[in-house]
Amino acid sequence: TTLCNNANLQLSSSVMSFLSTYSFAEDPSSIFKPDCAGYRSFTAQMAMKSASPVLILLVLALTFIGSHIVKRVTKKDVAFDFNRTLNVYFSLMFTFFAGISAMALALFKCTPNPNQESTLAKDQSIVCYEDEWNSLVVIAVIAVVLYIFGFGGLFLRAVIVAPRCFASLTFQRRWKFLFIKFRPDVWWWALVICGKGVWMNIGFTFMTEGIAQLYWV
């Protein structure tokens, strides 16, 4: 629904309002209204969104360390398990992988204008391939490498080694989220979901006609 909302089409206000209701699926930060915190510009929002997975990892790391400190002080077994903590983090990245892919590729989704210039689909005040756009390319490339290729590569490796490693308790605790929802004969289905998220977003980087974008989705 969010991809349709961003397609190069003139939709009615009622349709736009309906589609925007589900914007959290692509952009969970929309729940917290970042505009009200001073992140109104596209540049600030992109920097914040690109850093979000790292900030989430930092929060989990601090929580993990804190639990072990509490264990030492209280002598109670309240310490987080390392592999279960990784499972929590990676499961969040997997759940929002389509949205993370959309965020990483947002800078490369441009739409044509009557003046022969292209502007960002997300913010038409930014002209593609000019100074402000160029200043964000490094952030976008890092996001693509770290999040799409990085997380995607980790998930791919886990799925490939799963048949021979799943008997390991460590492997089960770390990668359970990738397999628990699927039958054993289609243990690899998580890769289809990840691939779909990337594939749907890639189409918007080179298709500019609204009807073509909708057919792609």
Side-chain angles (χ1 to χ4, degrees):
T1 55
T2 308
L3 284 172
C4 294
N5 195 20
N6 292 329
N8 189 21
L9 292 170
Q10 187 66 42
L11 302 174
S12 67
S13 58
S14 59
V15 173
M16 290 283 286
S17 176
F18 172 76
L19 293 177
S20 64
T21 304
Y22 299 94
S23 61
F24 67 89
E26 180 192 70
D27 181 15
S29 67
S30 63
I31 300 172
F32 304 102
K33 306 294 183 184
D35 289 1
C36 300
Y39 293 96
R40 189 174 299 274
S41 70
F42 176 81
T43 301
Q45 287 195 16
M46 183 172 180
M48 180 197 69
K49 292 173 185 177
S50 297
S52 294
V54 178
L55 294 176
I56 294 172
L57 179 60
L58 180 61
V59 169
L60 281 175
L62 293 174
T63 305
F64 175 81
I65 294 170
S67 70
H68 281 264
I69 293 174
V70 172
K71 178 183 178 180
R72 284 175 176 265
V73 173
T74 64
K75 307 301 181 183
K76 295 181 179 180
D77 190 16
V78 295
F80 284 16
D81 178 79
F82 178 70
N83 290 296
R84 292 187 188 278
T85 304
L86 286 180
N87 180 77
V88 170
Y89 178 69
F90 287 135
S91 64
L92 284 173
M93 298 303 105
F94 174 72
T95 301
F96 294 105
F97 192 76
I100 291 171
S101 300
M103 175 273 296
L105 294 169
L107 192 70
F108 306 107
K109 298 175 183 177
C110 298
T111 57
N113 290 280
N115 63 358
Q116 307 304 315
E117 291 185 336
S118 296
T119 55
L120 276 185
K122 276 282 189 181
D123 187 343
Q124 295 195 353
S125 67
I126 298 178
V127 180
C128 294
Y129 318 115
E130 294 198 354
D131 292 343
E132 187 173 2
W133 186 90
N134 290 331
S135 67
L136 296 169
V137 169
V138 174
I139 296 176
V141 170
I142 291 174
V144 169
V145 172
L146 284 182
Y147 303 145
I148 296 180
F149 289 102
F151 290 137
L154 284 173
F155 299 157
L156 175 62
R157 181 187 177 279
V159 169
I160 290 174
V161 303
R164 67 173 185 270
C165 294
F166 201 76
S168 166
L169 185 60
T170 296
F171 185 88
Q172 292 176 19
R173 288 177 174 175
R174 184 175 299 183
W175 300 110
K176 179 175 69 174
F177 68 92
L178 282 175
F179 310 103
I180 195 170
K181 293 183 290 186
F182 311 115
R183 299 195 314 267
D185 57 324
V186 288
W187 81 94
W188 42 265
W189 196 253
L191 295 180
V192 176
I193 296 175
C194 290
K196 176 187 175 184
V198 176
W199 184 255
M200 290 174 65
N201 281 285
I202 284 179
F204 281 64
T205 64
F206 62 87
M207 290 185 177
T208 57
E209 295 294 331
I211 190 64
Q213 293 172 338
L214 287 183
Y215 274 120
W216 182 268
V217 172

